[in-house]
């Protein structure tokens, strides 16, 4: 069956009420019944929940074959906890048929790729897949298709019972003996625990893993002791200096700065750019750089931002310190400056993923966004965006909050160069649809700006402001003239990953590339 972005979805995936994507507001107003975790009652007073090892915590929390465990990845490439836990479950306890339900997966969790190849990990449900894990999934070595969800789609699926977490293992910078835990207050601070909070509410068991034990009560806490079964003390939960990856740094590339400046001009030309507007940038360098150019327009117009949303960088914090942003609603921190800032400013708020972007609650914060500026690996002439598969078809990215913010905002702007290396970024058809074209409004490249024809109002705004724009077909033709028309990828029939829309319908599938050679 073909869905609303013209992708063929195999019939065998449309079971148990699963539907194909039918538009960004298809599920609006429909009811769901929330899943409930089981909870071990703690009636008898206890001095401490501290366990002597991760294995002891696993045994107390009834770790078993066929279980699903989760973890959050606020430490990004510096995370140690997920690999520690996976080794205990697989190598020490000998468990099998495990499903990993992570907020994201990357090079810090490469050991999980080994367990996939060994057949010990048979399921993956995540927002991002990078590194060797992406390669082995793309090679068809995972027993069942990986399920890729956005940051908003993940809590929706947990609440609906589509993924039930047996044990959540949550890294914390500090914790007391009962599990009141925080992303700050320790030796490896990482800031907001927005990725982990929701799991603590819905997992059957929650284990806090920390390298800094503090006196009870550790307040204010991100994770409450009422949701925690066990606390484990380790030498180090990770290396916070690796949070700021190259993708999450503000660019100093002149071409990317030019694109960022033009994106700011587009924002300033719209009627939404007024006192009290709201804003989010994605993690890409050009997207983050928009902040510096936006400041000039805000000062010129004498306006302030009501709130900045999502992953937070130092550049957003600096705008707040200058009095230009009233509130920051923070799901994760991208650099050490933002990590420090959340502890110092009472208007810098930790925000969990359900509050942030869950389309099945009664009003996620993304629905109040005026602008979002996002990156893309590819964008096609229908404005569909791919942020998860490379030009070779291998899983190497993450939708994150991309589809959520695009759908919720009044104006979604994609900033991307026209070409990367010898590959066209603007193309006839993206490899994988991760954000539907009906959610994307403007494209800014180094060769010009294009506006989605669905947004005649924005076209009129740019015309009045004297901002030159072209059709996206013209940008595609220019890209092909520079690097040539890309060859079509050859796929096998086997589906290696399912890309869900944020509302749970199926947006696209990723099939095994033919052939795919691994090192």
């Amino acid at each position: 069956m073909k869905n609303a972005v013209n992708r063929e979805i195999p019939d065998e995936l449309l079971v148990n009420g699963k539907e194909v994507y039918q538009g960004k507001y298809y599920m609006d107003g429909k009811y769901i019944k929330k899943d409930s975790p089981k909870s071990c009652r703690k009636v008898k007073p206890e001095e401490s929940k501290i366990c002597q090892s991760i294995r002891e915590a696993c045994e107390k929390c009834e770790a078993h074959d066929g279980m699903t465990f989760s973890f959050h990845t606020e430490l990004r490439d510096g995370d140690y906890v997920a690999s520690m836990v996976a080794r205990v479950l697989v190598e020490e306890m000998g468990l099998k048929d495990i499903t990993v339900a992570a907020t994201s997966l990357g090079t810090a969790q490469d050991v999980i790729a080994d367990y996939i190849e060994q057949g010990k990990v048979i399921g993956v449900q995540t927002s991002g897949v990078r590194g060797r894990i992406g390669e082995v999934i793309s090679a068809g070595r995972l027993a069942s298709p990986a399920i890729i969800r956005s940051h908003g789609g993940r809590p929706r699926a947990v609440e609906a019972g589509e993924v039930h977490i047996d044990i959540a293992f949550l890294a914390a910078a500090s914790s007391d003996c009962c599990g009141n835990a925080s992303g700050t207050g320790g030796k490896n601070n990482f800031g907001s625990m927005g990725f982990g909070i929701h799991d603590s509410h819905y997992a059957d068991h929650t284990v806090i893993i920390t390298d800094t034990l503090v006196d009870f009560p550790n307040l204010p806490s991100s994770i409450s002791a009422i949701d925690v079964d066990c606390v484990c003390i380790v030498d180090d939960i990770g290396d916070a200096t690796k949070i700021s990856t190259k993708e999450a740094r503000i660019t100093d590339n002149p071409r990317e700065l030019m694109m960022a400046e033009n994106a700011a001009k587009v924002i300033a030309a719209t009627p939404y750019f007024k006192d009290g507007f709201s804003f989010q940038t994605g993690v890409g360098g050009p997207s983050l750089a928009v902040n510096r150019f936006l400041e000039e327009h805000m000062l010129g117009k004498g306006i302030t931002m009501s709130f900045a949303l999502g992953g937070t960088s130092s550049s957003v914090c600096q705008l707040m310190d200058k009095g230009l942003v009233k509130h920051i609603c923070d799901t994760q921190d991208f650099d050490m400056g933002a990590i420090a800032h959340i502890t110092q400013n009472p208007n810098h708020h930790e925000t969990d993923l359900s509050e942030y972007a869950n389309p099945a609650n009664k009003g996620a914060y993304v629905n109040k966004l005026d602008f979002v500026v996002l990156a893309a690996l590819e964008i096609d002439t229908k404005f569909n965006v791919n942020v998860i598969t490379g030009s070779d078809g291998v899983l190497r990215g993450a939708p994150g909050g991309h589809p959520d913010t695009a759908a919720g905002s009044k104006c979604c702007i994609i900033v991307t160069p026209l070409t990367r290396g010898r590959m066209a970024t603007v193309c006839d058809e993206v490899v994988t649809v991760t954000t539907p074209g009906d959610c994307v409004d403007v494209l800014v490249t180094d060769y010009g700006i294009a506006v989605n024809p669905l947004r005649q109002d924005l076209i009129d705004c740019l015309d009045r402001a004297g901002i030159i724009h072209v059709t996206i077909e013209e940008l595609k033709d220019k890209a092909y003239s520079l690097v040539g028309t890309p060859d079509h990828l050859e796929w096998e029939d086997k589906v290696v990953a399912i890309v869900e829309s944020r509302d749970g319908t199926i947006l696209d599938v990723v099939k095994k590339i033919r052939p795919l050679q691994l090192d």
Side-chain angles (χ1 to χ4, degrees):
M1 180 185 295
K2 285 194 175 182
N3 63 14
V5 291
N6 204 37
R7 293 298 168 116
E8 190 73 44
I9 306 301
D11 290 341
E12 59 266 26
L13 300 180
L14 302 176
V15 295
N16 299 321
K18 187 62 71 175
E19 300 180 67
V20 299
Y21 177 71
Q22 297 179 51
K24 62 180 178 178
Y25 299 138
Y26 172 64
M27 290 292 184
D28 188 57
K30 297 184 180 180
Y31 285 84
I32 63 165
K33 184 172 178 59
K34 290 186 178 181
D35 192 31
S36 297
K38 69 177 183 180
S39 182
C40 180
R41 301 179 192 181
K42 299 285 186 178
V43 179
K44 183 179 178 180
E46 61 181 348
E47 285 296 315
S48 172
K49 298 177 184 176
I50 294 176
C51 294
Q52 296 305 306
S53 66
I54 293 175
R55 176 164 185 166
E56 180 187 345
C58 291
E59 290 171 346
K60 283 189 173 182
C61 294
E62 305 174 339
H64 57 275
D65 290 343
M67 67 176 285
T68 295
F69 80 97
S70 76
F71 53 88
H72 71 83
T73 47
E74 314 276 3
L75 281 155
R76 297 169 70 82
D77 284 352
D79 173 62
Y80 296 167
V81 167
S83 295
M84 288 184 202
V85 170
R87 288 189 179 98
V88 169
L89 293 173
V90 174
E91 296 180 19
E92 290 190 28
M93 300 182 71
L95 299 184
K96 60 184 184 297
D97 299 335
I98 295 169
T99 294
V100 175
T103 51
S104 193
L105 292 166
T107 55
Q109 295 86 34
D110 271 353
V111 69
I112 291 175
D114 297 334
Y115 302 145
I116 291 173
E117 292 188 304
Q118 295 167 19
K120 301 298 180 63
V121 171
I122 62 168
V124 167
Q125 304 197 27
T126 181
S127 175
V129 189
R130 297 182 175 92
R132 280 196 62 239
I133 299 173
E135 291 174 357
V136 298
I137 293 174
S138 297
R141 296 178 185 172
L142 184 66
S144 58
I147 300 178
I148 311 298
R149 297 186 177 98
S150 69
H151 282 333
R154 185 177 193 274
R156 180 209 59 77
V158 170
E159 290 181 10
E162 293 173 19
V163 51
H164 187 86
I165 300 167
D166 293 290
I167 311 176
F169 296 92
L170 303 180
S174 66
S175 176
D176 61 32
C177 62
C178 291
N180 293 301
S182 173
T184 60
K187 65 178 183 178
N188 283 298
N189 293 336
F190 54 83
S192 173
M193 284 189 74
F195 281 11
I197 296 170
H198 192 261
D199 284 16
S200 73
H201 299 323
Y202 279 87
D204 286 347
H205 300 91
T206 296
V207 177
I208 296 297
I209 300 179
T210 187
D211 53 22
T212 303
L213 187 67
V214 298
D215 291 339
F216 180 91
N218 183 29
L219 299 175
S221 63
S222 306
I223 307 295
S224 172
I226 67 171
D227 289 319
V228 175
D229 296 83
C230 300
V231 178
C232 296
I233 315 300
V234 298
D235 291 336
D236 286 291
I237 58 170
D239 181 355
T241 64
K242 292 184 178 180
I243 289 174
S244 184
T245 60
K246 66 180 185 297
E247 293 89 357
R249 295 190 183 109
I250 293 181
T251 183
D252 57 5
N253 181 302
R255 178 177 69 163
E256 293 182 340
L257 290 174
M258 181 258 296
M259 291 189 289
E261 183 176 14
N262 286 337
K265 289 178 180 178
V266 169
I267 290 171
T270 70
Y272 315 124
F273 188 67
K274 58 186 178 181
D275 194 44
F277 77 98
S278 56
F279 179 69
Q280 178 175 334
T281 54
V283 70
S287 305
L288 290 173
V290 172
N291 291 302
R292 76 169 66 173
F293 297 105
L294 202 59
E295 178 180 353
E296 180 181 338
H297 290 285
M298 293 172 69
L299 291 171
K301 202 168 182 180
I303 63 175
T304 59
M305 191 186 304
S306 62
F307 72 95
L309 184 62
T312 301
S313 66
S314 291
S315 60
V316 173
C317 298
Q318 290 162 8
L319 289 178
M320 171 174 273
D321 294 341
K322 293 175 182 179
L324 296 175
V325 178
K326 293 182 179 179
H327 294 274
I328 297 174
C329 299
D330 182 356
T331 56
Q332 64 170 320
D333 291 299
F334 291 148
D335 55 50
M336 302 305 290
I339 292 167
H341 193 269
I342 197 172
T343 68
Q344 299 164 357
N345 195 305
N347 290 328
H348 187 157
H349 313 285
E350 188 174 50
T351 305
D352 79 36
L353 289 184
S354 188
E355 292 175 312
Y356 169 54
N358 184 351
N361 64 27
K362 297 178 181 179
Y365 289 11
V366 294
N367 294 341
K368 291 291 288 180
L369 268 180
D370 290 311
F371 303 100
V372 64
V373 180
L374 301 167
L377 293 175
E378 297 179 302
I379 181 169
D380 66 26
T381 54
K382 300 295 185 183
F383 284 83
N384 298 308
V385 174
N386 170 28
V387 293
I388 195 166
T389 46
S391 57
D392 56 359
V394 175
L395 292 162
R396 57 178 83 255
H402 200 292
D404 304 301
T405 54
S409 63
K410 293 184 178 71
C411 181
C412 169
I413 302 172
I414 303 296
V415 180
T416 187
L418 192 69
T419 62
R420 287 191 183 90
R422 296 297 301 169
M423 299 305 300
T425 303
V426 184
C427 57
D428 278 317
E429 188 174 74
V430 294
V431 174
T432 307
V433 179
T434 48
T435 298
D438 61 356
C439 300
V440 175
D441 303 308
V442 181
L443 168 64
V444 177
T445 75
D446 46 341
Y447 280 84
I449 297 169
V451 183
N452 192 325
L454 296 174
R455 295 303 304 270
Q456 183 61 47
D457 58 326
L458 294 180
I459 292 172
D460 294 341
C461 289
L462 268 59
D463 288 342
R464 285 193 294 270
I467 297 174
I468 297 172
H469 55 94
V470 297
T471 67
I472 197 167
E473 288 80 9
E474 290 176 83
L475 292 177
K476 182 264 297 182
D477 290 343
K478 180 64 177 178
Y480 286 4
S481 74
L482 293 171
V483 299
T485 302
D487 295 330
H488 290 290
L489 295 172
E490 294 188 12
W491 308 94
E492 295 187 7
D493 291 335
K494 182 174 182 177
V495 174
V496 299
I498 299 167
V499 181
E500 286 192 0
S501 168
R502 62 193 299 258
D503 64 11
T505 56
I506 299 181
L507 186 61
D508 207 345
V509 296
V510 181
K511 293 186 176 180
K512 181 181 176 183
I513 289 290
R514 184 177 55 224
L516 179 65
Q517 300 294 328
L518 298 183
D519 295 332

